[in-house]
Amino acid sequence: MARGADRLVRSRVVGRAGGAGTPIIYRMRQQDGRWQVLDVVSKGVSQVAVQRSDFAGAVSQGGLPGLTARLAELNAKERARG
């Protein structure tokens, strides 16, 4: 599996009323001919860092079963949204 260098894609989400919008940065990597999103940064906060902290808390409170339960909860919320 060949790995390329990471690339930052800067974008802005603008609401219906216009305005300045919210800057979003995607950290991406091309792998096997396809681009993959590795991280999303909004308002200076990395989604990867947030999840790492969330998962570390779940592991410290309930070990691996606690992390598994947290991931199942997050998956259930996503399925319900979609």
Side-chain angles (χ1 to χ4, degrees):
M1 242 185 297
R3 287 190 172 203
D6 293 357
R7 301 285 191 256
L8 296 180
V9 177
R10 298 174 192 280
S11 62
R12 185 171 299 275
V13 177
V14 179
R16 292 183 215 190
T22 302
I24 306 283
I25 301 171
Y26 300 92
R27 185 166 60 98
M28 302 184 74
R29 178 178 296 155
Q30 189 174 27
Q31 187 170 341
D32 298 328
R34 297 178 63 194
W35 284 99
Q36 299 177 342
V37 176
L38 302 176
D39 193 11
V40 178
V41 178
S42 176
K43 298 181 181 179
V45 179
S46 161
Q47 186 63 35
V48 168
V50 169
Q51 286 181 333
R52 184 181 303 127
S53 175
D54 188 30
F55 293 169
V59 169
S60 70
Q61 290 177 359
L64 289 179
L67 176 58
T68 302
R70 177 71 177 133
L71 291 172
E73 176 186 328
L74 292 171
N75 284 332
K77 284 181 182 178
E78 279 301 310
R79 279 194 295 269
R81 287 177 53 190

